[in-house]
Amino acid sequence: YGFAVTATSYRYFMSESSLDKKIKEILNGLNTHDIKQLEDVGHKIRQIILGATFPKNLETEIFSAYKSLGEKLSLKAEDLDVA
C-alpha cells in the first residue's frame, strides 16, 4: 500500500505559493561556473521553499491519503514509516 504526491501537486504548490516566480528571479543572472554563488543561491531557494505556505486544499488531500494508508495498515498516522 502507499500513495505518491504527483508532479502536478508539486507544480501546484510552486504556483500557488508563487515560488516558481521567486525562484526564477533568484536564478536570473546566475553564473553556473561560480561555485560559491551556486551554493548561496541553492541555500536561498531551499529557505524560501521551507518557509512557503502550503495550499490548504493540497494539505487536506495529502493528510487524507496518509490517514487512509494508516487505516489500511491498521496503524496510527504517527506510526507510519514513509519516505
Side-chain angles (χ1 to χ4, degrees):
Y1 295 109
F3 70 93
V5 178
T6 64
T8 300
S9 297
Y10 167 79
R11 287 189 293 274
Y12 177 73
F13 164 63
M14 296 296 282
S15 175
E16 286 296 304
S17 59
S18 298
L19 287 171
D20 52 352
K21 293 174 186 170
K22 293 174 187 175
I23 291 171
K24 188 174 183 176
E25 289 174 17
I26 292 169
L27 292 175
N28 188 29
L30 177 66
N31 176 358
T32 58
H33 300 288
D34 182 341
I35 299 300
K36 178 65 175 144
Q37 186 185 26
L38 284 169
E39 290 174 357
D40 293 343
V41 167
H43 176 75
K44 187 173 186 176
I45 290 171
R46 283 188 297 280
Q47 293 308 305
I48 66 166
I49 290 171
L50 291 171
T53 301
F54 209 77
K56 192 64 177 171
N57 59 337
L58 184 56
E59 179 182 325
T60 300
E61 290 295 322
I62 292 171
F63 278 127
S64 175
Y66 202 76
K67 182 180 176 189
S68 177
L69 178 62
E71 289 170 356
K72 286 178 183 176
L73 297 172
S74 300
L75 293 170
K76 295 180 187 175
E78 60 268 15
D79 294 330
L80 288 173
D81 291 324
V82 296

